Amino acid sequence: TKEEPAYTHRDWSGLLYLQPPKKGGEFVIVDNDFSELASVTPNCGTVVGFTGGTYHGVKSIKRGKRVAIGLWFTHSIANAMDMESYQRRIESVAIQEEQPQYKDEL
């Protein structure tokens, strides 16, 4: 269910697995009662896509680590980020990262 304050502008979401855990970490889709409807065992290069209002999660990782890239898509022009806004955001983050993090770095 897509209700505020959730990310209601996300029509589709996805995960691209770069490194699956050695054991555990399955991606699951659940219903409103958290009963498991589907499970995906991640492999390197696996992409899992689902609608923005889908209840989902990841089972606990027993061994190793999980490295994945989150993907979000919208049908809404109003919520889509234009390239100028994207570039300003990237530049803002880069500037923040260049700032000293500790007093002794000054």
Side-chain angles (χ1 to χ4, degrees), residues 18-97:
L18 302 177
Q19 176 181 323
K22 295 187 184 333
K23 185 175 180 183
E26 295 85 356
F27 176 86
V28 292
I29 294 177
V30 297
D31 63 16
N32 294 347
D33 298 324
F34 301 103
S35 297
E36 189 175 308
L37 300 174
S39 176
V40 176
T41 300
N43 291 301
C44 184
T46 297
V47 175
V48 179
F50 48 97
T51 59
T54 301
Y55 290 110
H56 62 282
V58 176
K59 291 184 179 179
S60 67
I61 295 169
K62 307 292 185 195
R63 192 178 53 189
K65 62 182 174 179
R66 171 182 170 261
V67 179
I69 297 174
L71 309 164
W72 298 279
F73 305 93
T74 181
H75 293 291
S76 168
I77 296 294
N79 288 321
M81 186 180 292
D82 61 76
M83 286 307 293
E84 283 184 31
S85 297
Y86 178 76
Q87 186 63 35
R88 282 193 304 272
R89 187 174 214 172
I90 293 298
E91 289 169 359
S92 168
V93 169
I95 290 168
Q96 290 174 2
E97 289 177 354

